[in-house]
Amino acid sequence: MVVGGGPGGSTLSTLVARQGHRVLLLEKEEFPRHQIGESLLPSTVHGICRLLGVTDELANSGFMKKHGGTFRWGLNAEPWTFDFSVSEKFSGPTSYAYQVERMKFDKILLDNARSKGVDVRERSEVVGVLEEEGRICGVQYNDAQGVRREVRARFVADASGNKSRIHKRIGGARKYSDVFQNIAVFGYFTGGRRAPAPLTGNITCASFDLGWFWYIPLSDELTSVGAVLRREALARLQDGPLDKVLEGLIDECPLIADYLSEAERVTEGPYGQVRVRKDYSYIQENFWRPGMVLVGDAACFIDPLFSSGVHLSTYSALLAARSINTTLRGTIDEADCFREYEARYRREYDVFHDFLVAFYDLQKDEHAYFREAKSVIGSSASAAESFAELVGGGASDEEALIGTAPSFSQERRADLLEQSRKIHWQGSRVQVQAHFGESVGDDPLYEGGLVESPDGMHWARPEQPAF
Ligand code: FAD
């Protein structure tokens, strides 16, 4: 059973239900509900979402296409732009992601889970877990009528996000980052400026004295705008009502002030509130224990600068689905499957963590950042390509995260697979898998580690024959 119907929970439940297993998903809210995290990566859109079978629905939803990002950052006085298509892994028709209203995106994924056989129950809040002989074996929850219930399951996956009530039951502490202790204050505007095509849907990130701003065009009219402040600037939040604080901060960042010079803040409905989030960069000491696993933000989250949250959450959901599917099939024991889960999820998290540390050093220009990206992922590609690969979610070694384009030839596929065997890019494999419907090979991460099965939905021992 899965706790939480965000992108992590709906991805995991769909990928397990599609193997014929019974899955119950309990979600506290009734969708649509507001959530932050609107800028997606190509690995999510063309990898995970294709595996889930929502490609057409997303394409028909009118989401803004995001071809890359524009930064006013580092030593460059002028804004500079990167494009996902620079990376061969994301070139061609898969060289974009979407900027999404999470109310719509999360509902698409949750409804899709329901339509794929998951028993989805909204307005059902999990309040505790059941344990027997050291194993987690179910949860307690309040149902939509407020009645306290218990339900038992072979596995409990906590995908209830950063506010999880049950993650502590995994053991170990949630360790908050010493480096990223930022606070975000954000709201929504209509009438913000748009760059000419093809840059119209790009995210813009602009640094200023107290931190940096995101500017995410969600539609022709609506823009999500947020200031991410260093902890020292916390006192600014006490300067007055939050809408005035946000206005004041915008005035201090010339690029964003200019983009919003003719805009108005939305003051009604789900976008009418100025919100604050803090203490959001952390990692749990353990990701699993017998009978229970943490998925997505319940396990970890790192600063939003590279929009990695939904990618990490949905990618971890794929890894957790493989672990649960394999354990239920009985081919490999639970401990080995979840050790694999944790190792791969931590590796992907570390890529973003390590690169973010380098990127927050503002005494560099864009070329230096590109070189840092190449060094972090150990890529043989050029520095600029490595940057696009990393921030596109293709820095790991997953075949299903790249190359879904019809033009993605067998030749190119073979070439990329050969590369993927040699180097470190997990994300790319999930896209190849999504397109070709089968796994194209994998290497163990560590001695005794597992590899993905040919169907991409289980683990196998490296020496195990294909099944
Ligand atoms: P969530 O999306 O949090 O979903 C968890 C679900 O669990 C919710 O629906 C919640 O209602 C439900 N739930 C909670 N408690 C219970 C309970 N007890 N019982 C049942 N259900 C429960 N990510 C990006 O990809 N791009 C971005 O641009 C981006 N910007 C961000 C900006 C900021 C300031 C922050 C803080 C984060 C940002 N993120 C971004 C990260 C993104 O918000 C998360 O990583 C992402 O939503 C994680 O998905 P999830 O499914 O793990 O959790």
Side-chain angles (χ1 to χ4, degrees):
M1 65 143 314
V2 175
V3 184
S10 49
T11 298
L12 171 62
S13 58
T14 303
L15 297 180
V16 173
R18 283 178 73 166
Q19 296 301 309
H21 304 301
R22 281 175 58 213
V23 187
L24 172 67
L25 185 153
L26 299 174
E27 163 58 50
K28 180 174 74 165
E29 308 283 341
E30 181 163 5
F31 279 27
R33 55 92 178 92
H34 177 269
Q35 173 60 299
I36 193 63
E38 294 140 334
S39 196
L40 303 186
L41 305 187
S43 55
T44 303
V45 169
H46 301 290
I48 299 292
C49 289
R50 186 175 281 250
L51 285 177
L52 295 175
V54 293
T55 301
D56 292 342
E57 209 174 339
L58 292 183
N60 295 331
S61 294
F63 294 133
M64 193 66 115
K65 276 190 178 170
K66 166 190 174 186
H67 290 283
T70 300
F71 286 93
R72 197 2 243 114
W73 200 269
L75 294 176
N76 301 62
E78 291 303 313
W80 51 275
T81 291
F82 81 92
D83 196 318
F84 293 123
S85 67
V86 170
S87 160
E88 202 195 355
K89 290 175 194 165
F90 298 122
S91 62
T94 61
S95 63
Y96 65 89
Y98 293 117
Q99 313 284 22
V100 296
E101 291 184 59
R102 287 287 300 273
M103 286 194 288
K104 294 182 184 165
F105 178 74
D106 289 14
K107 183 159 167 51
I108 289 172
L109 296 197
L110 191 64
D111 288 347
N112 179 60
R114 201 178 261 123
S115 76
K116 301 284 169 18
V118 177
D119 178 357
V120 175
R121 299 189 202 162
E122 295 173 66
R123 295 192 292 133
S124 298
E125 180 177 13
V126 170
V127 292
V129 297
L130 308 175
E131 183 176 343
E132 252 174 37
E133 295 171 6
R135 187 177 175 86
I136 301 299
C137 58
V139 300
Q140 288 175 318
Y141 72 102
N142 295 329
D143 73 11
Q145 283 70 45
V147 177
R148 176 69 52 95
R149 297 192 181 276
E150 287 189 359
V151 60
R152 301 174 74 83
R154 289 278 300 278
F155 291 103
V156 173
D158 178 14
S160 62
N162 69 324
K163 294 205 182 83
S164 163
R165 292 178 64 157
I166 56 172
H167 71 277
K168 288 189 185 138
R169 294 299 296 273
I170 220 83
R174 190 180 260 196
K175 294 171 98 177
Y176 288 89
S177 170
D178 296 333
V179 185
F180 302 106
Q181 299 195 335
N182 299 332
I183 308 137
V185 46
F186 50 95
Y188 295 83
F189 291 79
T190 55
R193 190 164 296 170
R194 291 288 175 266
L199 308 181
T200 317
N202 274 16
I203 183 170
T204 297
C205 297
S207 67
F208 73 119
D209 283 352
L210 299 178
W212 60 274
F213 266 95
W214 77 70
Y215 184 94
I216 300 175
L218 292 173
S219 70
D220 289 343
E221 267 300 299
L222 187 66
T223 309
S224 165
V225 179
V228 176
L229 308 175
R230 285 189 295 279
R231 177 142 302 252
E232 306 86 82
L234 186 62
R236 284 294 295 267
L237 298 184
Q238 272 102 51
D239 273 2
L242 280 179
D243 53 341
K244 296 293 170 219
V245 170
L246 182 58
E247 250 173 50
L249 293 168
I250 289 167
D251 288 342
E252 291 172 41
C253 184
L255 185 71
I256 301 299
D258 179 44
Y259 282 10
L260 293 174
S261 55
E262 288 169 20
E264 274 183 34
R265 194 174 70 75
V266 179
T267 54
E268 286 178 355
Y271 294 130
Q273 202 186 328
V274 173
R275 295 174 162 94
V276 173
R277 286 279 298 271
K278 55 184 177 176
D279 293 333
Y280 46 67
S281 294
Y282 54 81
I283 185 160
Q284 187 80 16
E285 264 173 321
N286 306 314
F287 284 9
W288 73 279
R289 63 175 282 186
M292 182 170 173
V293 61
L294 303 181
V295 169
D297 275 15
C300 55
F301 178 66
I302 187 73
D303 195 83
L305 182 55
F306 288 120
S307 311
S308 55
V310 174
H311 161 71
L312 286 169
S313 177
T314 54
Y315 175 52
S316 74
L318 168 64
L319 298 174
R322 283 186 193 146
S323 300
I324 291 170
N325 290 338
T326 307
T327 312
L328 290 176
R329 181 147 78 178
T331 43
I332 299 175
D333 69 41
E334 183 183 11
D336 285 354
C337 289
F338 284 98
R339 201 173 299 129
E340 190 66 41
Y341 167 75
E342 181 157 348
R344 290 189 187 232
Y345 191 13
R346 280 187 189 277
R347 180 177 69 164
E348 190 67 0
Y349 178 88
D350 286 348
V351 164
F352 281 95
H353 177 277
D354 294 354
F355 187 54
L356 277 160
V357 170
F359 203 82
Y360 263 89
D361 174 358
L362 294 174
Q363 298 308 312
K364 291 178 180 157
D365 68 5
E366 93 230 52
H367 302 290
Y369 295 129
F370 294 169
R371 287 194 297 276
E372 290 283 359
K374 182 173 163 73
S375 145
V376 166
I377 64 175
S379 172
S380 58
S382 74
E385 196 178 335
S386 303
F387 178 84
E389 221 165 270
L390 192 160
V391 301
S396 49
D397 201 14
E398 271 290 349
E399 62 206 19
L401 291 184
I402 60 153
T404 61
S407 62
F408 194 73
S409 65
Q410 289 298 328
E411 207 176 294
R412 181 160 170 251
R413 174 194 188 208
D415 188 42
L416 283 169
L417 292 180
E418 184 51 33
Q419 282 185 48
S420 79
R421 284 194 184 98
K422 289 187 194 142
I423 56 170
H424 173 81
W425 37 277
Q426 189 81 358
S428 52
R429 288 171 176 255
V430 179
Q431 272 200 29
V432 177
Q433 180 188 319
H435 185 58
F436 292 98
E438 59 172 35
S439 162
V440 281
D442 189 16
D443 288 326
L445 268 193
Y446 51 90
E447 190 152 355
L450 306 174
V451 295
E452 61 185 281
S453 62
D455 70 0
M457 288 298 138
H458 299 81
W459 298 120
R461 302 246 178 236
E463 68 281 5
Q464 246 171 9
F467 49 80

